[in-house]
Amino acid sequence: MPGLIDAHIHAYFYDMNVNRLERLPATMYAHHAANMLRDMLDRGFTTVRDTGGADYGLWLAIQKGLITAPRLYYCEKALSQTGGHADTRHHHDYHHHDEHVVMCGCCFANPLGVIVDGVDSVRRVIREQLRRGASFIKFMGSGGVASVSDPLEGIQFGNDEVRAIVEEVENHLVYCTAHIHPDRALKRAIGLGVHCIEHGTLIEADTANMAADKGVNIVPTLAVIAGLAERGEEFGHPRESLDKLEQIRTKRSSGSITEARRGEGWFRHRSDRRAAADAVDRVQPALTRVLELRDPEPGHRRERRDHPRQGPDRRDFGGRLCRYPGGRWQPAGEPSADGRRRRPHPRS
């Protein structure tokens, strides 16, 4: 069988309590990443997409053979507004110069995210992360479960900041993805041109149709909610996070599109093939609608080619064009100017 692909991991997520995670030395979560990625490869995952944390150093260690791991795509650190989902400081960490907060030169960062506010700061951080080889850019578009200081239903980043993110990634010929749970935040992101969504747990059918019509991809991570519900407290999830997790489960169970998401099993990296199949079976009809409408009409399917920054397709975000040497855009089925297939870029 072909290798498995995991489209949403956090290689540096060593501790389920993010307030403890950011106090750990970098060497600690780097060793955790090596162990985690080796275990994933042993279980059949040959490609992984890190959506917050992994960086050029981890990619380089894989390329040099220092660690055994699947092929890695990474976005560097996820962008978060102050008090957003990737701002892992506790309520009581009131001073932004607390010694456990890492300074990156222009803003505050932790193992998973970087805190930015305002259009200019957003543009600067995106350009810097793409300079360091990021395959795509991720930002936090709503509250989340793991963070303790933001409301789950809250919308994060202003419209002008989101437009700046979309513009910057399209200028660099890559894409952006947004962490989002609530439906109203999903509608806003899709309307502002965001290319991909992580989670989307509270999506409604009309929003799924909207995503499909605009060609927006959704990475549902359905098994994560079940897994955290089963063992989150055991693994150190803080009380605030467990309460928000219950909020998601309650809203899902009361909605019309959520019955398919229920199930006792959950897909862990150490689970068997049956658990993986169960996770796939729980994908709700609304997200199925997205997948159905993402494919072009029969006979118009384009061949995928390697891109300088690889990862999910960069063919004009609609599946018709791709970039070849010399910078020009052309139909994906045509040969490149020199007649050769593109090689993977070192920063893939």
Side-chain angles (χ1 to χ4, degrees):
M1 64 177 286
L4 299 172
I5 299 172
D6 194 325
H8 187 110
I9 73 164
H10 295 284
Y12 287 161
F13 209 158
Y14 171 72
D15 195 321
M16 292 299 296
N17 187 321
V18 293
N19 300 124
R20 293 196 300 255
L21 177 66
E22 65 181 16
R23 290 173 168 84
L24 294 173
T27 47
M28 180 68 175
Y29 47 82
H31 286 300
H32 164 72
N35 288 336
M36 172 184 170
L37 292 173
R38 182 180 62 248
D39 288 349
M40 292 190 71
L41 186 62
D42 289 343
R43 292 190 296 275
F45 289 88
T46 56
T47 300
V48 295
R49 172 177 173 260
D50 190 288
T51 55
D55 52 19
Y56 176 73
L58 183 60
W59 178 89
L60 188 61
I62 296 171
Q63 299 303 306
K64 296 292 185 182
L66 299 179
I67 61 176
T68 302
R71 188 180 191 183
L72 173 68
Y73 298 109
Y74 63 96
C75 65
E76 282 253 338
K77 297 182 185 298
L79 277 60
S80 172
Q81 67 176 41
T82 296
H85 181 51
D87 187 345
T88 56
R89 295 172 293 179
H90 196 273
H91 299 295
H92 302 298
D93 296 336
Y94 61 90
H95 196 284
H96 60 236
H97 285 102
D98 285 334
E99 61 181 345
H100 66 271
V101 178
V102 179
M103 299 296 295
C104 72
C106 64
C107 43
F108 312 106
N110 57 59
L112 304 179
V114 56
I115 303 169
V116 291
D117 294 292
V119 170
D120 291 342
S121 294
V122 163
R123 292 185 186 277
R124 181 169 61 250
V125 169
I126 289 175
R127 293 169 185 176
E128 180 63 24
Q129 295 198 156
L130 292 175
R131 183 190 69 81
R132 294 196 295 260
S135 298
F136 60 101
I137 293 296
K138 178 185 176 181
F139 72 95
M140 303 305 188
S142 81
V145 172
S147 50
V148 300
S149 61
D150 58 337
L152 181 67
E153 294 279 0
I155 291 180
Q156 299 180 4
F157 282 115
N159 289 356
D160 55 344
E161 293 168 313
V162 175
R163 291 190 187 98
I165 293 170
V166 173
E167 180 183 8
E168 283 297 324
V169 297
E170 291 186 354
N171 286 346
H172 286 81
L173 307 180
V174 295
Y175 72 97
C176 67
T177 190
H179 156 104
I180 298 178
H181 286 285
D183 187 70
R184 71 188 188 104
L186 289 164
K187 280 188 172 71
R188 183 195 71 141
I190 295 168
L192 292 175
V194 172
H195 312 111
C196 184
I197 303 292
E198 308 297 313
H199 309 303
T201 51
L202 301 177
I203 193 171
E204 297 293 342
D206 61 328
T207 308
N209 289 330
M210 179 182 178
D213 292 340
K214 290 182 175 293
V216 176
N217 296 289
I218 298 180
V219 183
T221 66
L222 300 178
V224 174
I225 302 299
L228 290 176
E230 182 180 321
R231 304 187 68 183
E233 186 172 8
E234 173 188 345
F235 289 139
H237 231 29
R239 183 71 258 166
E240 298 96 329
S241 296
L242 293 174
D243 290 343
K244 289 199 282 186
L245 176 64
E246 185 60 29
Q247 182 182 347
I248 287 181
R249 298 181 69 205
T250 300
K251 287 181 178 293
R252 286 193 328 172
S253 62
S254 63
S256 60
I257 66 170
T258 57
E259 292 300 314
R261 300 188 197 178
R262 290 180 171 180
E264 296 180 358
W266 63 289
F267 180 64
R268 293 169 289 183
H269 291 309
R270 289 182 174 83
S271 62
D272 56 17
R273 287 172 294 178
R274 180 179 177 183
D278 289 343
V280 173
D281 290 340
R282 290 197 300 272
V283 175
Q284 71 272 34
L287 291 180
T288 301
R289 166 72 173 162
V290 176
L291 299 176
E292 289 173 350
L293 296 187
R294 275 294 292 146
D295 282 337
E297 297 178 8
H300 290 78
R301 192 151 193 149
R302 301 291 187 176
E303 179 186 355
R304 291 193 60 171
R305 296 294 183 101
D306 291 330
H307 296 289
R309 288 190 186 89
Q310 299 182 3
D313 231 339
R314 278 210 295 155
R315 300 167 297 173
D316 87 337
F317 315 110
R320 293 180 297 279
L321 302 174
C322 60
R323 192 183 186 213
Y324 286 90
R328 74 185 183 93
W329 292 81
Q330 60 188 47
E334 295 183 7
S336 58
D338 56 9
R340 294 181 299 175
R341 192 181 186 89
R342 273 203 67 82
R343 291 173 138 187
H345 192 277
R347 296 191 294 176
S348 64

